[in-house]
Amino acid sequence: MLVYESTKQEFLQDVFNDELTNNIINNFNEKIGSVNEAEVRSWDNSMQFMFRVLMDPEIPKDSGVAIEFRIPYSSKRVDFLITGKSKESNESVVIVELKQWEKVEKIEGKEAIVKTPMRYGMVETTHPSYQAWSYASLIKDYNETVQQEDIELYPCAYLHNYIIRNEGDPLTDNIYNYYIEEAPIFAKGDAAKLRYFIKKYIKYGDKKETLYKIEKGKIRPSKSLQDSLNSMLRGNQEFIMIDEQKVVYEKALQLANDAQRTNTKQVLVVEGGPGTGKSVLAINLLVELTNRGMVAQYVTKNAAPRHIYANKLKGDFRKSHIDNLFKGSGSYVNAPKDEFDVLIVDEAHRLNEKSGMFQNLGENQVKELINTAKTTIFFIDEHQRVTIKDIGSIDLIEKYAQELEGQLYKTELVSQFRCNGSDGYLAWIDDVLQIRETANMNFIGKDYDFRVYDNPNILLNDIKELNKINNKSRVVAGYCWNWNKDTRMQSDVPDIVIPEYNFGISWNLGNTETWAIDENSVNEAGVIHTCQGLEFDYVGVIIGDDLIYQEGRVQTDYTKRAKTDRSLFGIKKMMKEKPEEATKLADDIIRNTYRTLLTRGQKGCFVFCTNKPLADYLRERIKNVREYKADDFFKKDIYVAESKPTYK
């Protein structure tokens, strides 16, 4: 979608006559929606600089100019496009990312991220060269006309207010070299250099023909993107499907094909507990649907699974173009009906009603997802609702599927791939936490390693030792300790402190989105929002004072949650207005949180409780399991760690 398009000559006239901004605003309001004052000022300022750059007779007057080009199937808009031909037959597009920035700070440890002043202070955002490069990659990967006609794309960034002061300038630091080489940076005083860059690729005019080709081009994943995804998935043991996964996989593909063939809306709900392979199935579907030429995206509310699976799948981050396949659940507020072929929604129980930083955008994420895709696949476990804002439920999906005239199908994943293939442990945890009564009061399956620790230091040491094997063991904790803003980037400053054991560990750092696979993150504790949807070989769980044992039963205490925890934000007000409902809701969220933490380990779960009666209760439950499993084969499955254990 083009908000503004013209020839170079027409653009210069519009700027000179002070008509350009009004034309952009009118078109923007008609095609996209209301525009804010900051954007208007930005256009007015930046277009004066582009006016000066294009005031060169060697840049053809009939070359095409576009402003605010919205890339299909994304919320991204390209600031400025110039089209023409590098030779009489070679069509070229110069992509210019425009920035008003005057100050930049580099960020170590994150790929292509910088910090710059914005409306709410210093904010982390992507490097301008990365932005320009990623927009070019998106267009090339999804516009069939660009692919088939070999239209060349040349991205760059123009920071017309920014002064590059020296060789050590943070904007051009060596850590950004890859993207700067792909999309050069032009700063204040570089107008002549930007002119030369444009003239290098735009030697002949095209009378806006290339703009029309890009705007009207058929959208489908490129062959190179499909080949890349296939090669990345092939041979990766983490993404191999078995049993019910394969059955659900084929059903989902059938529905996606039916939606295309019959022009109907299809909705599939896949229900499954921890370790049923929902995410593995979701990734396989993403790759296969893309391979079939459908436009598909993997969607989660929680950022951690998106970043982890994207990194595992794509290998070399900088040479891969698959980031656009992974999106947040709030990305579809204003998306047109049936814009996507398929949306694959993992962790659907984490969906929110509203979107945006202030939870004030859109109507309902479930409704928006179903509306936006011809086929929507929801992977859900209703027992993993861990915040007040989590509204994803099967009933809600059914409601909006019916409202939007979608054909609804439901299926279930039952085979367990976590906990050494045993669904007995999962049922046992539900029984132990008194979430539901199960038949598995005293059985957790064979070969699963569950331990209760008297000392959190020993637990941490054991997890570290196990992590040396393959970097797949982590410590997590209930959200009962504040996540201090001032020290959240310092792993040597403990957040979780248990004085009687001289124990301290920091929460996972704020400077990484891949804590679950980062090499040194075993020295940090993950919170529920960091690890939900992910799995490890061994997980160590520190249970805080929000889960206790007294009066013969497991109880919860929401007042022991940390002040920095937003999971129960609003519960105090709700307690005054609807005390019974609020008490039940808080209780469910705390139990679900620990259920989720205690089921992250595929091979074992180690536990330390700050509430000693709870630890004693867990030991009693383990004792019953030991008595129930009388033969030696079963005895080895449970080990109560009261001193440093010997590894099997």
Side-chain angles (χ1 to χ4, degrees):
M1 180 190 300
L2 294 171
V3 172
Y4 172 92
E5 51 87 14
S6 69
T7 63
K8 186 200 93 166
Q9 185 176 20
E10 292 167 342
F11 167 77
L12 295 177
Q13 290 173 347
D14 282 348
V15 176
F16 184 79
N17 295 324
D18 287 329
E19 294 176 352
L20 178 67
T21 302
N22 287 334
N23 290 341
I24 295 174
I25 291 172
N26 292 336
N27 289 335
F28 194 96
N29 288 334
E30 180 182 341
K31 295 182 178 183
I32 296 179
S34 60
V35 62
N36 61 52
E37 292 184 11
E39 281 187 292
V40 174
R41 288 194 300 270
S42 174
W43 288 327
D44 208 28
N45 187 18
S46 292
M47 295 313 151
Q48 299 296 326
F49 285 92
M50 289 308 301
F51 175 84
R52 298 172 198 170
V53 170
L54 295 185
M55 281 284 291
D56 185 325
E58 293 184 28
I59 299 176
K61 63 182 180 180
D62 61 343
S63 55
V65 170
I67 299 171
E68 296 291 329
F69 168 60
R70 181 179 178 269
I71 303 173
Y73 302 118
S74 81
S75 60
K76 306 301 182 184
R77 302 199 308 266
V78 178
D79 290 335
F80 204 92
L81 293 174
I82 309 162
T83 65
K85 298 179 181 181
S86 57
K87 297 179 181 178
E88 290 189 6
S89 59
N90 288 19
E91 292 174 294
S92 301
V93 181
V94 174
I95 294 172
V96 185
E97 176 65 17
L98 295 164
K99 295 295 182 190
Q100 310 286 317
W101 300 358
E102 297 180 11
K103 180 182 178 182
V104 168
E105 294 178 9
K106 72 175 182 178
I107 299 292
E108 300 275 5
K110 286 188 177 181
E111 187 75 27
I113 300 298
V114 295
K115 189 179 285 187
T116 190
M118 291 189 184
R119 189 174 176 183
Y120 302 104
M122 294 297 289
V123 175
E124 289 188 7
T125 186
T126 48
H127 190 280
S129 289
Y130 174 87
Q131 290 182 35
W133 168 83
S134 66
Y135 297 163
S137 298
L138 273 175
I139 296 170
K140 186 174 292 186
D141 279 338
Y142 285 94
N143 192 300
E144 191 172 48
T145 303
V146 171
Q147 300 157 17
Q148 292 180 345
E149 300 195 16
D150 293 325
I151 297 174
E152 295 295 334
L153 307 176
Y154 301 99
C156 67
Y158 186 24
L159 284 72
H160 44 73
N161 297 333
Y162 188 91
I163 299 174
I164 297 178
R165 293 171 175 82
N166 51 56
E167 292 184 2
D169 193 278
L171 182 68
T172 55
D173 191 88
N174 289 338
I175 63 175
Y176 306 118
N177 274 353
Y178 176 85
Y179 298 109
I180 293 174
E181 290 175 4
E182 295 292 320
I185 284 277
F186 300 100
K188 188 177 182 68
D190 287 342
K193 294 179 182 179
L194 178 55
R195 272 185 180 177
Y196 177 80
F197 182 81
I198 293 171
K199 290 190 290 184
K200 182 178 179 181
Y201 303 112
I202 308 293
K203 297 181 181 296
Y204 304 94
D206 63 352
K207 299 178 181 179
K208 304 188 294 187
E209 289 181 6
T210 309
L211 288 179
Y212 294 135
K213 287 183 179 181
I214 291 176
E215 184 175 28
K216 304 299 181 183
K218 182 179 178 181
I219 304 301
R220 72 186 305 274
S222 68
K223 184 67 165 59
S224 63
L225 178 63
Q226 295 170 22
D227 290 344
S228 295
L229 287 172
N230 286 333
S231 64
M232 292 168 190
L233 197 63
R234 191 178 300 118
N236 193 328
Q237 296 295 316
E238 292 189 59
F239 297 113
I240 293 177
M241 297 181 298
I242 59 176
D243 299 338
E244 285 88 352
Q245 288 177 315
K246 178 65 172 171
V247 175
V248 176
Y249 172 82
E250 294 297 338
K251 178 65 176 179
L253 294 177
Q254 177 195 341
L255 293 181
N257 288 331
D258 288 347
Q260 299 271 17
R261 180 175 53 83
T262 63
N263 195 30
T264 57
K265 187 176 287 292
Q266 305 288 337
V267 180
L268 176 63
V269 176
V270 183
E271 190 175 6
T276 48
K278 299 187 295 296
S279 296
V280 170
L281 176 52
I283 297 300
N284 274 276
L285 284 170
L286 176 68
V287 173
E288 179 58 26
L289 290 164
T290 303
N291 191 45
R292 294 187 180 192
M294 298 187 196
V295 180
Q297 289 185 337
Y298 171 96
V299 182
T300 60
K301 185 257 183 182
N302 191 10
R306 296 198 306 272
H307 293 296
I308 295 300
Y309 289 119
N311 277 276
K312 284 184 177 181
L313 190 60
K314 65 191 176 184
D316 185 348
F317 177 93
R318 294 188 295 192
K319 295 181 180 178
S320 167
H321 299 164
I322 69 169
D323 279 2
N324 193 55
L325 298 171
F326 295 84
K327 293 292 180 181
S329 57
S331 303
Y332 308 92
V333 172
N334 296 314
K337 180 182 178 182
D338 294 341
E339 183 177 28
F340 291 87
D341 294 318
V342 185
L343 291 179
I344 304 161
V345 188
D346 204 358
E347 303 285 310
H349 40 271
R350 294 300 318 277
L351 295 174
N352 292 166
E353 182 178 20
K354 302 285 186 178
S355 301
M357 181 182 297
F358 303 106
Q359 299 284 294
N360 62 343
L361 302 178
E363 179 183 350
N364 184 288
Q365 288 185 354
V366 173
K367 181 178 182 179
E368 289 154 7
L369 289 161
I370 295 174
N371 176 70
T372 303
K374 297 172 185 175
T375 300
T376 317
I377 304 166
F378 293 95
F379 292 92
I380 192 167
D381 176 7
E382 292 180 317
H383 289 299
Q384 288 195 52
R385 180 186 182 187
V386 296
T387 79
I388 285 180
K389 293 178 181 178
D390 293 351
I391 54 93
S393 70
I394 296 173
D395 287 345
L396 198 61
I397 295 170
E398 289 179 344
K399 172 188 173 182
Y400 286 120
Q402 183 176 5
E403 181 179 318
L404 297 170
E405 299 181 343
Q407 298 180 14
L408 179 73
Y409 299 86
K410 291 189 286 186
T411 187
E412 186 176 3
L413 288 169
V414 294
S415 290
Q416 301 295 333
F417 305 98
R418 197 188 304 277
C419 309
N420 265 5
S422 171
D423 58 358
Y425 172 71
L426 301 174
W428 183 74
I429 285 294
D430 283 350
D431 195 87
V432 165
L433 295 178
Q434 297 172 4
I435 292 174
R436 62 186 177 96
E437 290 187 6
T438 73
N440 289 3
M441 290 180 61
N442 298 315
F443 177 72
I444 69 170
K446 70 184 187 69
D447 294 334
Y448 192 71
D449 192 356
F450 186 91
R451 312 178 185 180
V452 179
Y453 283 70
D454 284 333
N455 189 320
N457 292 292
I458 299 176
L459 181 151
L460 178 59
N461 288 336
D462 289 350
I463 288 294
K464 287 182 177 180
E465 286 298 315
L466 288 164
N467 189 63
K468 292 177 181 178
I469 300 172
N470 56 4
N471 192 33
K472 286 190 175 182
S473 298
R474 291 292 183 274
V475 171
V476 298
Y479 211 155
C480 297
W481 294 268
N482 285 328
W483 199 335
N484 296 316
K485 182 179 181 181
D486 294 339
T487 59
R488 65 184 305 159
M489 306 290 281
Q490 300 172 245
S491 62
D492 58 340
V493 179
D495 300 302
I496 301 171
V497 177
I498 306 176
E500 56 265 41
Y501 296 98
N502 194 27
F503 175 82
I505 189 172
S506 75
W507 286 117
N508 59 277
L509 300 188
N511 70 334
T512 176
E513 295 164 328
T514 52
W515 166 84
I517 58 175
D518 290 343
E519 187 173 346
N520 294 320
S521 62
V522 70
N523 299 308
E524 306 154 9
V527 73
I528 180 65
H529 313 299
T530 310
C531 65
Q532 189 170 24
L534 304 174
E535 60 186 27
F536 312 101
D537 281 353
Y538 293 88
V539 63
V541 182
I542 299 174
I543 299 178
D545 286 342
D546 58 342
L547 191 72
I548 61 176
Y549 188 82
Q550 64 182 17
E551 299 176 355
R553 59 192 179 94
V554 176
Q555 299 186 38
T556 62
D557 184 353
Y558 77 91
T559 67
K560 300 301 183 182
R561 282 292 186 101
K563 293 179 180 179
T564 53
D565 176 26
R566 307 291 290 179
S567 303
L568 292 170
F569 182 73
I571 196 68
K572 290 182 179 179
K573 179 181 177 182
M574 191 176 177
M575 282 289 181
K576 295 177 182 178
E577 298 171 350
K578 303 175 183 178
E580 290 187 10
E581 182 180 336
T583 300
K584 175 66 166 59
L585 179 58
D587 183 75
D588 286 346
I589 286 173
I590 293 172
R591 291 178 197 268
N592 287 348
T593 297
Y594 282 112
R595 177 186 188 266
T596 303
L597 296 179
L598 291 163
T599 54
R600 294 305 91 192
Q602 292 180 303
K603 298 179 179 180
C605 176
F606 306 164
V607 181
F608 171 81
C609 307
T610 58
N611 179 254
K612 296 192 185 309
L614 181 63
D616 293 339
Y617 164 72
L618 292 177
R619 286 195 176 87
E620 187 64 29
R621 293 300 302 261
I622 290 172
K623 178 182 176 183
N624 292 338
V625 170
R626 281 182 140 179
E627 291 174 350
Y628 180 75
K629 295 190 289 186
D631 59 84
D632 290 338
F633 178 81
F634 285 114
K635 281 182 181 178
K636 69 179 181 180
D637 295 337
I638 302 298
Y639 184 89
V640 182
E642 297 175 351
S643 59
K644 189 165 183 176
T646 302
Y647 291 101
K648 300 176 184 177

